[in-house]
Amino acid sequence: MLTLKGWGCNRMVEVWPGKPYPQGATFDGLGVNFAVYSQGAEKVEVCLFDPQDPAKETGRFTLPETTDFVHHGYVPHLKPGTLYGLRVHGPYDPARGLRFNPAKLLVDPYAKALHGRVDWEQPVFGYKLGGDDLTIDDQDSAAGVPKGIVVAREFDWDGDEPLQTPWRKTVIYEAHVKGLTKLHPEVPEEHRGTYLGLCAEAVIEHMQQLGVTAIELLPVHESVDDSFLMSKGLHNYWGYNTLGFFAPDQGFASADRRAGGQVDQFRTMVKTLHKAGIEVILDVVYNHTCEGNHLGPTLSFKGIDNSTYYWLMPEQRFYLDFTGTGNSVRAAHPQVARLIVDSLRYWVDTMHVDGFRFDLTSTLGRIGEGGFSAHAPILQIIAQDPVLSRVKLIAEPWDVGLGGYQVGGFRSPWREWNGKYRDAVRRFWKGDENLAGEMGYRVAGSADLYQQQGRRPQASINFVTAHDGFTLHDLVSYGEKHNEANGEANRDGADDNQSWNHGAEGETNDPEIITLRERQKRNLLATMFLSQGVPMLVAGDEMGRTQGGNNNAYCQDNAISWIDWTLDDRRKALLEFTKRVIAFRHREPVLQRRRYFQGDFIWDSQQKDLQWFRPDGSEMGQEDWEQPFTRSFGWLLGGDATGLRDERGQDITGDAVLVLMNAHYEAVTFNLPDATNGVRWTIVLDSSDDRKSGQVDEPTYELPGRSMVVLTHPMR
C-alpha cells in the first residue's frame, strides 16, 4: 500500500502488479506503470518526492512483480509531474561486479525528464570515501541526486512530419544549443542559450540564408558536471557525460523544470525547425555514462545492475575502458541493446528528431571479449529497425581501445565522420608533400574507403573542423594548442592538429599574414563543399569564430565557446563567401552524385564524369599522383554525366564544373581544358580574390600561391 498526497488525493492506494513493458515510468491517463530491469536485484523500490520540495521523500513502495528480470508495478491516480527515484536492493560485492546499495537513490534509466543536479557535497558514492571501493557507504544520497519526472506524451505537433532530406542534398551544421544563441542580440534574453532560442527568427534566418539543411546538436541528453571541473569553477559544456538517455537536458530549458517543461520546449524547437526546412540530428553518447570507473559515483546503472550495463574486466571489480572516461557501456548485452534502441525510437517517435550522430561508435560494436565487429548485434538491430533505419545514422568510427579506429569499417545504412578526409585536406593546404593521390580520393568521395562494401559517396561525412579541436580560424592562426584556461597545464587536447599559424602565433596585425589566413579559410571551406559526400560545417566557422587557440573547450561554458555575432568587415566577407559556395553546391547536380565516378562517358554524355588535369592541361597519369611535390592540379566534372535522374526518369544535367587547386606557395599558370561547344569558362569563385567574377577570355588562368578557383560553363 502507498499513501498518495499532493497528487489530487490524500488516501491509501494499492500498488497493482502492472506490466514489464514499456520500461520506465509510463502515464496512461489513469495512473503510472513503473518497470525497471535488474538481473541481480533482490528488490526494487520507487521513492516519490514532493515537487515543491524535491529533497523531501513523500512515499515509497516496492515493485511487486518480476518478469524476465523486469521489476514492475502500477500506481493508480499518480499523475504527470510526479518526482521519483529508485532504490535497488542486492549484494554489495565489487569483486564480483555487484554494487547494489539501497542507500543510494538512483535515476531511472528510462526517465523522460529529470529535475535537479548532482550535488557532489552529498554522499553520492556507493563506497566510503577515504578508503577503497570495497566498503559500502550507508549514507542516504537522495538530497544530491536528480529526480525523474513522470511526463505526458501528448503534444500538439500541428501536422509535423519528417523532412527526409536526401543525403546528397544534405548540408550539416554542427552546433551547441547554448553556444549558438547565448550571445545573439536578436534572440529574446530569456531564451538565449535554450531550446527556444533556436526558434528565434534571426537564428533560423541565418541557417536558411547560409544554406544548411540539418542542424547537428551537441549532446542534449541529461548530463552531469564533473566534480573536478566544478571545483575549478568550470562545467562540462559539451555534455559528453550522460546521465539520462531519454531526458532532454534541463539546462537548456527556460520554464518550470519540475513539471518537465524541457520536454515540450525541445519538441517546440524541433517543430519550429522543421517548418523552416531544417532537420534535427542529435549527437548521442551511448558508449559511456557519467558514473566513471570503480571510484566513480553511484547514480544509476552502477547501482541498478552494474555487471549488465558496463563492460567489466575478468576480475569484475574494474571496468574495461574503450572510451577514455572510466567505463564503457556494454551494448552487446540484450538489455542494454534494448535500452539504446528504445531511447533512439523515443527520440524519433515522440520527439520527432531526424537522425543521430553516435559518439565513439566503435564502442557500440564491441562484442565477445571486447573486439570490434561491424556486424555487432546493436549495429545490425539499428540498421534493420523499421523506424531507425529510415533516419540519418552517422558514426564517429573510432574509440580509444585496441582496434578502435574504424574509418571505412561500418556498413550501410551508416554514414561516417571521415577523419581521413579532415587530415588530408588540412595537410594539403598546409603544403605537406605526398598528398595528391589521397586528395584525389577524398574530394571524389573516398571510394577507397567505402565502395568495396557497396556504399556510396554519401557514406562520407566530410569535415575540416569539428567541435573537438581548433575552429577554422584557429586552424590557420595557431601552430600549437593553448588550453591553459582548462586548468590542466595545457596537457589536455590533441597535440597533432595539422595546423599552421602562417607566420605568427595567434592574432596579428600583419596584413600579409591576415590576407593569407583568410585565403586559406576560403580554400578549406570551398574544398569541403566541392567534394563528393556530405559536408559538415561547424557553427561559427562561417564567421571566423575563435577559441583563442583552445582545441579542447569542452569545459568552457563562456565566451571562449559561445559564438560572437558581432561581425567586422573581414568576418562578414567570410560569411558571404560561405553562403556563395554552399549555394553553388545546392545549384550544381554534379556536386551531389549518388554514385562514384567512372572516369568515362556515361550513356551519351558529351563529357566524362570526371577528368583530372595537370597545370599544363594534360590529363594526370599515375606518375603525377605519386610525385611527392604534386600540389597543383585540377578536376573537371561533366555537367551532363551526373548519373542523376528525376522522378520521371529524365537525366538531370547542370553546368560543367572545373576546379583548379594550387597549394604551392608560388603562383601556377593552368592551361584550361576546352569548354564543350566552344563556350567560355565563367569564374564562380576565386579564393585569392572573392570579388573576382566574369568570363575567362584567355586559354590560361594564373592561380596565385595557396589558392583555388572554380569555373563553370553551361551544357547545351
Side-chain angles (χ1 to χ4, degrees):
M1 300 292 289
L2 170 68
T3 301
L4 291 183
K5 296 181 179 180
W7 289 277
C9 63
N10 185 359
R11 56 180 171 143
M12 298 289 289
V13 298
E14 184 178 356
V15 180
W16 299 346
K19 299 178 181 179
Y21 300 104
Q23 292 184 45
T26 305
F27 176 67
D28 64 2
L30 299 174
V32 177
N33 189 83
F34 294 90
V36 180
Y37 179 96
S38 180
Q39 184 170 343
E42 298 168 354
K43 181 172 69 172
V44 176
E45 294 180 305
V46 176
C47 300
L48 305 181
F49 295 86
D50 187 344
Q52 304 305 317
D53 183 6
K56 181 181 179 181
E57 185 174 329
T58 58
R60 184 186 301 196
F61 61 94
T62 299
L63 295 178
E65 295 289 340
T66 303
T67 305
D68 298 330
F69 304 120
V70 177
H71 302 251
H72 52 91
Y74 180 90
V75 181
H77 308 296
L78 214 55
K79 296 181 179 180
T82 299
L83 301 186
Y84 73 101
L86 307 175
R87 296 186 189 274
V88 181
H89 296 252
Y92 185 84
D93 189 354
R96 294 195 294 134
L98 305 175
R99 296 179 180 271
F100 297 104
N101 186 343
K104 307 305 169 185
L105 189 76
L106 304 174
V107 171
D108 175 8
Y110 278 76
K112 306 305 187 295
L114 297 182
H115 176 71
R117 297 292 190 182
V118 173
D119 182 352
W120 296 102
E121 299 299 318
Q122 297 294 324
V124 296
F125 294 85
Y127 61 94
K128 290 188 176 182
L129 295 178
D132 56 33
D133 61 310
L134 299 177
T135 305
I136 192 170
D137 179 84
D138 59 5
Q139 299 178 84
D140 191 343
S141 68
V145 177
K147 313 304 186 294
I149 307 174
V150 177
V151 300
R153 295 176 66 95
E154 292 81 6
F155 181 76
D156 182 9
W157 281 104
D158 194 24
D160 180 73
E161 294 288 342
L163 296 177
Q164 297 184 323
T165 304
W167 275 111
R168 68 183 183 88
K169 295 183 178 181
T170 297
V171 175
I172 297 172
Y173 193 57
E174 190 195 35
H176 187 281
V177 171
K178 186 173 185 178
L180 185 61
T181 63
K182 182 63 176 178
L183 299 180
H184 201 300
E186 296 181 52
V187 174
E189 188 170 355
E190 66 273 17
H191 291 164
R192 293 176 188 173
T194 71
Y195 302 121
L196 297 182
L198 288 177
C199 300
E201 183 177 354
V203 175
I204 289 177
E205 284 184 355
H206 176 80
M207 290 189 283
Q208 290 176 322
Q209 293 172 6
L210 191 56
V212 299
T213 67
I215 185 169
E216 181 178 303
L217 296 175
L218 267 66
V220 298
H221 288 173
E222 193 71 62
S223 63
V224 172
D225 275 324
D226 313 80
S227 60
F228 78 93
L229 288 177
M230 297 186 71
S231 68
K232 295 187 290 187
L234 300 173
H235 300 278
N236 196 313
Y237 172 71
W238 286 350
Y240 291 91
N241 206 30
T242 308
L243 177 59
F245 291 137
F246 291 77
D249 196 315
Q250 59 192 293
F252 301 140
S254 56
D256 185 356
R257 299 163 191 170
R258 291 172 299 181
Q262 59 264 41
V263 177
D264 280 354
Q265 289 189 44
F266 182 92
R267 292 191 278 198
T268 297
M269 175 196 72
V270 173
K271 181 172 73 171
T272 304
L273 289 169
H274 281 179
K275 287 182 178 180
I278 299 170
E279 293 185 308
V280 178
I281 299 172
L282 300 187
D283 192 335
V284 288
V285 188
Y286 294 109
N287 60 80
H288 74 278
T289 76
C290 61
E291 292 187 294
N293 61 16
H294 63 293
L295 298 178
T298 297
L299 301 171
S300 184
F301 297 118
K302 188 177 288 186
I304 293 173
D305 200 347
N306 184 59
S307 59
T308 288
Y309 285 103
Y310 294 119
W311 282 99
L312 302 181
M313 291 185 178
E315 56 269 37
Q316 294 191 300
R317 175 184 173 188
F318 304 108
Y319 295 79
L320 283 172
D321 184 8
F322 307 117
T323 65
T325 66
N327 67 56
S328 303
V329 171
R330 189 183 171 198
H333 189 283
Q335 165 59 22
V336 185
R338 176 188 288 274
L339 170 77
I340 293 172
V341 171
D342 285 350
S343 169
L344 293 169
R345 274 182 161 245
Y346 174 79
W347 287 99
V348 174
D349 289 338
T350 303
M351 308 296 268
H352 283 209
V353 304
D354 303 279
F356 306 93
R357 178 266 188 190
F358 293 76
D359 180 63
L360 301 183
T361 322
S362 294
T363 298
L364 300 185
R366 301 281 181 176
I367 61 174
E369 297 181 355
F372 173 83
S373 171
H375 303 291
I378 184 62
L379 301 180
Q380 293 193 61
I381 291 169
I382 293 172
Q384 296 170 10
D385 185 272
V387 173
L388 301 179
S389 61
R390 294 198 296 267
V391 303
K392 289 181 165 64
L393 302 172
I394 303 171
E396 182 185 36
W398 52 75
D399 63 20
V400 302
L402 183 65
Y405 191 76
Q406 290 293 327
V407 173
F410 286 75
R411 299 293 183 267
S412 182
W414 291 89
R415 272 66 179 177
E416 300 177 16
W417 269 26
N418 191 342
K420 292 187 177 182
Y421 180 94
R422 171 200 60 203
D423 297 343
V425 173
R426 287 185 178 193
R427 292 181 59 208
F428 176 77
W429 285 113
K430 186 160 63 77
D432 289 0
E433 296 183 343
N434 293 301
L435 282 169
E438 185 165 7
M439 278 294 290
Y441 275 119
R442 300 299 157 249
V443 300
S446 295
D448 59 324
L449 299 177
Y450 306 115
Q451 190 172 26
Q452 287 187 348
Q453 295 135 16
R455 301 164 79 186
R456 296 187 176 185
Q458 284 76 34
S460 178
I461 305 297
N462 299 330
F463 66 105
V464 177
T465 61
H467 68 274
D468 187 1
F470 281 140
T471 66
L472 180 66
H473 177 83
D474 291 354
L475 185 67
V476 301
S477 303
Y478 293 90
E480 300 177 354
K481 64 185 181 183
H482 296 269
N483 298 352
E484 291 79 7
N486 295 355
E488 298 181 43
N490 206 34
R491 292 188 299 267
D492 63 305
D495 293 313
D496 182 15
N497 298 285
Q498 300 299 334
S499 63
W500 177 30
N501 64 21
H502 295 82
E505 187 71 359
E507 302 304 320
T508 179
N509 293 321
D510 188 315
E512 292 186 5
I513 293 177
I514 291 173
T515 297
L516 181 55
R517 287 177 177 176
E518 294 303 308
R519 185 187 306 170
Q520 289 281 54
K521 292 181 202 175
R522 294 191 289 269
N523 289 334
L524 292 163
L525 286 169
T527 301
M528 182 174 69
F529 287 110
L530 294 169
S531 298
Q532 301 297 321
V534 180
M536 184 187 78
L537 176 70
V538 178
D541 274 358
E542 73 274 21
M543 300 177 288
R545 183 176 75 90
T546 180
Q547 292 180 165
N550 192 321
N551 75 347
N552 189 36
Y554 78 102
C555 56
Q556 299 298 328
D557 186 4
N558 50 48
I560 292 176
S561 296
W562 304 338
I563 293 177
D564 180 4
W565 292 86
T566 305
L567 306 183
D568 56 20
D569 290 341
R570 191 190 314 157
R571 297 182 69 194
K572 288 179 181 177
L574 182 62
L575 174 58
E576 292 306 312
F577 177 87
T578 309
K579 290 179 181 178
R580 286 171 53 200
V581 71
I582 295 177
F584 180 71
R585 179 183 180 86
H586 284 310
R587 187 167 67 245
E588 294 298 342
V590 292
L591 301 176
Q592 306 168 26
R593 292 180 56 89
R594 289 187 296 213
R595 293 177 173 82
Y596 285 105
F597 295 105
Q598 300 178 22
D600 205 345
F601 297 95
I602 298 179
W603 301 306
D604 57 350
S605 63
Q606 300 179 60
Q607 293 180 320
K608 294 181 180 179
D609 58 355
L610 174 63
Q611 298 177 78
W612 300 95
F613 292 99
R614 295 167 20 149
D616 64 8
S618 59
E619 290 200 43
M620 293 181 69
Q622 187 63 35
E623 67 280 2
D624 297 308
W625 293 113
E626 295 173 351
Q627 291 290 347
F629 48 80
T630 298
R631 296 191 182 94
S632 307
F633 58 87
W635 73 90
L636 173 60
L637 306 177
D640 62 345
T642 65
L644 299 173
R645 291 183 174 178
D646 61 22
E647 295 178 353
R648 296 175 297 173
Q650 301 298 312
D651 293 342
I652 297 176
T653 63
D655 295 336
V657 175
L658 176 63
V659 182
L660 307 177
M661 306 173 72
N662 178 25
H664 189 51
Y665 61 86
E666 293 181 331
V668 171
T669 298
F670 283 80
N671 290 327
L672 300 179
D674 293 334
T676 305
N677 300 319
V679 298
R680 296 176 180 176
W681 290 104
T682 298
I683 301 170
V684 174
L685 59 89
D686 186 326
S687 69
S688 67
D689 183 356
D690 60 356
R691 293 168 296 183
K692 187 180 293 186
S693 62
Q695 291 186 332
V696 179
D697 297 323
E698 303 297 326
T700 62
Y701 196 96
E702 183 177 81
L703 204 53
R706 298 192 174 95
S707 66
M708 63 186 296
V709 65
V710 181
L711 307 105
T712 64
H713 74 70
M715 301 297 298
R716 294 179 179 175

